[in-house]
Amino acid sequence: MAAAAEQGVAEAVRKEGEGEEQVVNPWEVSAGKGGVDYDKLVDQFGCQRIDAALVDRVARLTDRPPHCFLRRGLFFAHRDLNDILDLYEKGEKFYLYTGRGPSSEALHLGHLVPFMFTKYLQEAFKVPLVIQLTDDEKFLWKNLTIEETKRLARENAKDIIACGFDVERTFIFSDFSFVGGTFYENMLRVAKCVTLNKAVGIFGFSPEDHIGKYSFPPVQAVPSFPSSFPHLFAGNDQLRCLIPCAIDQDPYFRMTRDVAPRIGYQKPSLIESRFFPALQGENTKMSASDANSAIYVTDSAKEIKTKVNKYAFSGGQDSIELHRKLGANIDVDVPIKYLNFFLEDDDELEHIKKEYKEGRMLTGEVKQRLISVLSEMVARHQRARAQVTEEMVDAFMAVRPLPNMFG
Amino acid sequence: MAAAAEQGVAEAVRKEGEGEEQVVNPWEVSAGKGGVDYDKLVDQFGCQRIDAALVDRVARLTDRPPHCFLRRGLFFAHRDLNDILDLYEKGEKFYLYTGRGPSSEALHLGHLVPFMFTKYLQEAFKVPLVIQLTDDEKFLWKNLTIEETKRLARENAKDIIACGFDVERTFIFSDFSFVGGTFYENMLRVAKCVTLNKAVGIFGFSPEDHIGKYSFPPVQAVPSFPSSFPHLFAGNDQLRCLIPCAIDQDPYFRMTRDVAPRIGYQKPSLIESRFFPALQGENTKMSASDANSAIYVTDSAKEIKTKVNKYAFSGGQDSIELHRKLGANIDVDVPIKYLNFFLEDDDELEHIKKEYKEGRMLTGEVKQRLISVLSEMVARHQRARAQVTEEMVDAFMAVRPLPNMFG
């Protein structure tokens, strides 16, 4: 199954017995009423589940508690993470690669998830990190000018920097600024190994799609290869790469892993997250185009309060009487899901879930707690972002050696 | 007809009444026994014929005799050459763009033709010139490493420089060295305008071809746009471009001309040549892979003599008696075709053709004259190439302003 998936199965995952199609690819996440079936996705994509033993191993090797995204199963799947940990255990290093497509000015909380997690990985393992801003992808897919995508890349870089990355270990680049040299060479090495038929199978492109779309997957693939960054990894072409990302990006890296050994490179490892749910519920990924579907990092405390109270889907009962009697359905409750991501205190989270499920805590009270968690988190982000100067962006994006890469 | 062709007709040109297919595209030139039907090609591609009036106009505007390639109809077709001449007449300038795919070390005489002609255009019009070495294309199409294509690009640059280009007006670049920045931006602007269906229609790619092939046409398109070279043409985005090339490259520029106005750029103009025939005759383009099909610029005088005598297809009769009686068929005679390219003296050429056609001159005598013309030309090229140093290559390939661009 894994091998078959690596060969590039189509993304349409039919949910057996329901006749509903679950489509998960970098441009579309649509599932049936029950939300994305992650178990099925893991099987179909051919990746591996993250179990408690693996979480323990990460904690032991890094000598710190696992990030709550990891211990709560929000990063739930991987590819060859054990290989990376084996190497690390022997004293060898690796590097991290993540990214973002800069299609909008304001990031929502879902956008922050991979960066928060990547920051934890960078600190825990003390490894270098490259962050790709795919302004070229957004030009190709959206009705945006190149100038606008470049501007958005730079604005998004500020939000990313505000997550607290270490400038001595982090290289942020935009494709429009960086494509060329060995990066371009690697793009063509990858492209030469992927037939049109295969690209269609993996990404679902149509004959009416423009050739820019068909050209793009190698661009997202090649930061997996250290030789794409000669200013960082010269002479270190076999350095392993670990990619934290949401699972919708898996098709890119399934292609990358298929190609890597054929061009003399190491397969990147992956650690993959669930989708951060929209305020309206779990059945789709959040949409940057619907302002009421998400909390943005630019939202005021008042906006957060209004959105949570008005739009966050509740698993509570219709009346207080009924709620006290039946309790909440916390499996569909969005405030609980959001707290699961962002309320760091495990004991408090368990307490809230228990009280809410058993009807002793009301939706309003849970939402109140969520509003305070999100307001504090967003305000902290806004304070950090206000400190990010143009000079700092230049520093992160400078093509330079990283002075403290494996320090 | 022109409009239809510009929309991207398939390259397969069926010769009516014969049922034979004439295929002309950048990777294949195959025709029936009668050789390439250039008249049909012009109609099918939708380009224009170069007539005597246009040749006269070029001569008048440049105040010098037209190059023999032009006055003998070897450069026989064009697209919007009159637009360029109109501008030039008003005192405005343009730039030239030509190129080569560096797939082999030694160039043959057919490879020199566009460069000899481009040198004439550069001198006659006193305009800047960009020369693209598509090492990326050759990596994608051939079984060559990137390192090898880069080495070949540099070796080929020496032969190109040996043609006598002016370093103060000429920028030579290889794609692997130069792709990036606004060049990459323009690649994506073009790619976004070309659907897969259209690319297949123009270039005949198959679903089993790799996506690198589908990605390449924009790379050859964008040197047509001055903004791809900010170090040369900053602030001069509407400067017109004239492309001298063999007509097999027309599909690239038909695509380019179709896209240009949609992305705010000028359509490039073209001036297009026939194919230089193989020694064995006119019905195919020369093949770099068959050493006996062509005279190479590295051939010794002895090799030239042997090849011409042994392989050059003769239109003479089987016996001297018959030849004296019937004369030669100069329409299929390769030595005459070669002299048509390289014997500069019009009177002598006409004399030879007349004497040969009427049987007074024998094949051996014509070949003798050709051997002396080619030996002298190749020896001159070899002397010039021996003078080309690595420093000169660096100078031509340096990303720099051209000091005497329109001087």
Side-chain angles (χ1 to χ4, degrees):
Chain A
M1 176 62 92
E6 295 238 341
Q7 291 307 309
V9 296
E11 296 320 297
V13 176
R14 195 165 289 279
K15 295 174 86 174
E16 282 155 35
E18 298 186 35
E20 274 180 75
E21 217 171 287
Q22 161 169 297
V23 176
V24 175
N25 67 40
W27 306 281
E28 185 182 2
V29 176
S30 67
K33 280 177 201 155
V36 176
D37 184 337
Y38 288 104
D39 265 338
K40 191 135 297 199
L41 213 51
V42 163
D43 290 339
Q44 291 281 351
F45 281 7
C47 40
Q48 298 149 278
R49 287 172 188 76
I50 293 178
D51 58 16
L54 188 51
V55 175
D56 285 347
R57 189 175 182 208
V58 170
R60 199 169 62 249
L61 286 174
T62 58
D63 203 22
R64 67 179 68 197
H67 193 281
C68 68
F69 292 170
L70 191 57
R71 66 180 190 258
R72 293 178 191 164
L74 301 170
F75 274 77
F76 74 109
H78 74 100
R79 291 180 184 272
D80 290 346
L81 179 58
N82 274 310
D83 287 5
I84 295 278
L85 299 181
D86 289 349
L87 284 175
Y88 187 79
E89 195 159 25
K90 286 188 237 161
E92 291 182 42
K93 293 285 184 170
F94 60 94
Y95 74 102
L96 294 163
Y97 156 38
T98 193
R100 158 161 176 77
S103 58
S104 65
E105 185 119 10
L107 277 64
H108 58 54
L109 298 182
H111 293 139
L112 288 190
V113 165
F115 292 109
M116 293 168 76
F117 190 65
T118 301
K119 176 182 186 295
Y120 148 76
L121 292 173
Q122 182 181 50
E123 285 181 354
F125 288 101
K126 296 189 173 40
V127 287
L129 162 65
V130 297
I131 300 176
Q132 180 181 43
L133 301 169
T134 56
D135 43 8
D136 50 356
E137 177 202 8
K138 291 307 170 185
F139 169 70
L140 290 169
W141 261 265
K142 305 279 179 179
N143 187 21
L144 292 169
T145 64
I146 288 178
E147 291 62 36
E148 181 65 0
T149 62
K150 288 162 83 171
R151 190 186 70 78
L152 290 172
R154 213 174 150 87
E155 288 306 304
N156 287 183
K158 293 177 188 168
D159 282 294
I160 292 167
I161 292 167
C163 290
F165 291 104
D166 178 356
V167 70
E168 299 209 331
R169 287 205 187 95
T170 307
F171 173 53
I172 303 178
F173 65 100
S174 102
D175 291 335
F176 277 132
S177 311
F178 192 66
V179 167
T182 57
F183 195 98
Y184 179 62
E185 292 175 15
N186 281 338
M187 281 163 55
L188 297 203
R189 285 188 174 100
V190 171
K192 199 174 173 176
C193 292
V194 181
T195 64
L196 185 89
N197 271 341
K198 189 161 194 171
V200 168
I202 298 174
F203 299 104
F205 299 141
S206 92
E208 283 307 313
D209 279 331
H210 59 67
I211 56 174
K213 293 187 180 183
Y214 292 85
S215 312
F216 178 72
V219 179
Q220 186 155 332
V222 304
S224 309
F225 306 134
S227 66
S228 301
F229 306 100
H231 62 292
L232 300 179
F233 307 126
N236 213 346
D237 281 4
Q238 300 300 311
L239 188 69
R240 294 291 296 256
C241 175
L242 174 62
I243 303 171
C245 62
I247 196 160
D248 61 331
Q249 302 298 302
D250 190 81
Y252 282 121
F253 302 116
R254 213 153 62 227
M255 179 194 80
T256 308
R257 287 168 52 87
D258 182 45
V259 167
R262 300 163 60 192
I263 58 175
Y265 292 142
Q266 298 285 338
K267 292 182 181 192
S269 296
L270 285 109
I271 183 163
E272 301 179 313
S273 75
R274 293 165 181 263
F275 306 120
F276 188 80
L279 281 168
Q280 286 75 8
E282 178 100 84
N283 53 358
T284 59
K285 205 169 117 170
M286 279 199 301
S287 161
S289 55
D290 176 4
N292 289 326
S293 74
I295 307 290
Y296 289 87
V297 297
T298 47
D299 283 348
S300 66
K302 197 176 157 213
E303 285 169 316
I304 292 171
K305 185 176 173 187
T306 305
K307 285 186 183 180
V308 169
N309 281 332
K310 193 162 170 187
Y311 299 110
F313 184 81
S314 169
Q317 304 299 334
D318 287 344
S319 68
I320 293 185
E321 294 66 33
L322 215 55
H323 187 82
R324 294 286 184 213
K325 187 173 161 200
L326 300 175
N329 177 357
I330 64 170
D331 292 336
V332 300
D333 188 90
V334 168
I336 291 293
K337 288 178 190 297
Y338 276 34
L339 286 170
N340 200 31
F341 273 88
F342 298 124
L343 178 60
E344 285 184 29
D345 184 327
D346 291 336
D347 294 338
E348 188 187 354
L349 180 66
E350 281 316 303
H351 175 75
I352 291 173
K353 283 160 85 171
K354 187 167 190 294
E355 295 301 295
Y356 190 36
K357 191 177 179 178
E358 294 174 3
R360 287 183 297 280
M361 210 169 167
L362 298 177
T363 292
E365 293 168 288
V366 177
K367 285 192 170 181
Q368 197 48 48
R369 184 64 184 114
L370 177 63
I371 289 165
S372 90
V373 167
L374 295 186
S375 300
E376 191 186 313
M377 178 180 145
V378 167
R380 193 169 59 236
H381 182 86
Q382 289 173 358
R383 282 193 303 275
R385 195 188 192 280
Q387 302 295 317
V388 179
T389 61
E390 296 297 334
E391 290 68 29
M392 286 166 71
V393 178
D394 291 341
F396 274 93
M397 298 187 77
V399 178
R400 68 207 191 275
L402 293 174
N404 191 26
M405 212 156 62
F406 298 114
Chain B
M1 175 62 91
E6 295 236 342
Q7 291 306 310
V9 296
E11 296 319 298
V13 175
R14 195 166 288 278
K15 296 172 85 175
E16 283 156 33
E18 297 184 35
E20 274 180 77
E21 217 171 286
Q22 161 169 296
V23 176
V24 175
N25 67 41
W27 306 281
E28 186 183 3
V29 175
S30 68
K33 280 177 201 154
V36 176
D37 184 337
Y38 288 104
D39 264 338
K40 191 136 298 199
L41 213 52
V42 164
D43 290 339
Q44 290 281 349
F45 281 8
C47 41
Q48 299 149 278
R49 285 172 189 77
I50 294 178
D51 59 16
L54 189 51
V55 174
D56 285 348
R57 189 177 183 207
V58 170
R60 201 169 61 247
L61 285 175
T62 58
D63 204 22
R64 67 179 68 199
H67 193 282
C68 69
F69 293 171
L70 191 57
R71 64 182 190 257
R72 292 177 190 164
L74 301 169
F75 276 77
F76 74 108
H78 75 100
R79 289 181 185 272
D80 290 346
L81 179 57
N82 274 311
D83 288 4
I84 296 279
L85 299 181
D86 289 348
L87 284 176
Y88 187 77
E89 196 159 24
K90 285 188 238 163
E92 291 183 41
K93 293 285 185 171
F94 60 93
Y95 74 102
L96 293 163
Y97 155 40
T98 192
R100 159 163 175 77
S103 58
S104 65
E105 186 119 12
L107 277 64
H108 57 54
L109 298 183
H111 292 139
L112 289 189
V113 165
F115 292 109
M116 294 168 76
F117 190 65
T118 302
K119 175 181 184 296
Y120 148 76
L121 291 174
Q122 184 183 47
E123 286 182 353
F125 288 101
K126 297 191 170 41
V127 286
L129 161 65
V130 297
I131 299 177
Q132 179 181 44
L133 301 170
T134 56
D135 44 7
D136 51 355
E137 176 202 8
K138 292 305 170 186
F139 168 71
L140 290 170
W141 261 265
K142 305 278 179 180
N143 187 21
L144 292 169
T145 64
I146 288 177
E147 291 63 36
E148 182 65 0
T149 61
K150 288 162 84 170
R151 191 186 69 77
L152 290 172
R154 211 174 151 89
E155 287 306 304
N156 287 184
K158 292 176 188 167
D159 282 294
I160 292 167
I161 291 167
C163 291
F165 291 104
D166 177 357
V167 70
E168 299 210 331
R169 286 205 188 94
T170 307
F171 173 52
I172 303 177
F173 65 99
S174 101
D175 291 336
F176 277 131
S177 312
F178 192 66
V179 167
T182 56
F183 195 98
Y184 180 62
E185 293 176 16
N186 280 337
M187 282 163 53
L188 297 202
R189 285 188 174 100
V190 171
K192 199 173 174 177
C193 292
V194 181
T195 65
L196 185 89
N197 272 341
K198 188 161 194 172
V200 168
I202 298 174
F203 299 105
F205 299 142
S206 93
E208 281 307 313
D209 279 330
H210 59 67
I211 56 173
K213 293 188 180 183
Y214 293 85
S215 312
F216 178 72
V219 180
Q220 187 156 331
V222 303
S224 311
F225 306 134
S227 66
S228 300
F229 306 100
H231 60 292
L232 301 179
F233 307 126
N236 212 345
D237 280 5
Q238 298 302 311
L239 188 69
R240 295 291 297 256
C241 174
L242 173 64
I243 304 171
C245 63
I247 196 160
D248 61 330
Q249 301 298 303
D250 190 81
Y252 282 121
F253 302 116
R254 215 153 61 225
M255 179 194 79
T256 308
R257 288 168 51 87
D258 182 45
V259 167
R262 298 163 62 192
I263 58 176
Y265 292 143
Q266 297 286 337
K267 292 182 179 191
S269 296
L270 286 108
I271 182 163
E272 300 179 313
S273 76
R274 292 164 182 263
F275 306 120
F276 189 80
L279 280 168
Q280 286 75 9
E282 178 100 84
N283 53 359
T284 58
K285 206 169 116 170
M286 279 198 301
S287 160
S289 56
D290 175 3
N292 288 326
S293 73
I295 307 290
Y296 289 87
V297 298
T298 48
D299 283 349
S300 67
K302 197 176 156 212
E303 286 169 316
I304 292 170
K305 185 177 172 185
T306 305
K307 284 186 182 180
V308 170
N309 283 330
K310 195 164 170 186
Y311 299 109
F313 184 82
S314 169
Q317 304 300 333
D318 287 345
S319 69
I320 293 186
E321 293 67 34
L322 215 54
H323 188 81
R324 294 289 185 209
K325 190 175 154 198
L326 300 175
N329 178 356
I330 63 169
D331 291 339
V332 299
D333 189 90
V334 168
I336 291 294
K337 287 179 190 297
Y338 276 33
L339 287 171
N340 201 31
F341 272 87
F342 298 124
L343 179 60
E344 286 184 28
D345 184 326
D346 291 336
D347 294 338
E348 188 187 355
L349 180 66
E350 281 316 302
H351 175 75
I352 291 173
K353 283 161 87 169
K354 187 166 190 297
E355 296 299 296
Y356 189 37
K357 191 176 179 179
E358 295 174 3
R360 286 183 297 279
M361 211 168 167
L362 299 175
T363 292
E365 295 169 287
V366 177
K367 286 192 168 180
Q368 198 48 48
R369 184 64 185 114
L370 177 63
I371 289 164
S372 89
V373 167
L374 295 186
S375 301
E376 191 186 313
M377 179 180 144
V378 167
R380 194 170 56 234
H381 182 86
Q382 290 173 357
R383 284 194 302 276
R385 194 188 192 279
Q387 303 294 318
V388 178
T389 62
E390 296 297 334
E391 290 69 29
M392 285 165 70
V393 178
D394 291 341
F396 272 93
M397 298 185 78
V399 178
R400 70 207 190 275
L402 293 174
N404 190 25
M405 213 158 60
F406 298 113

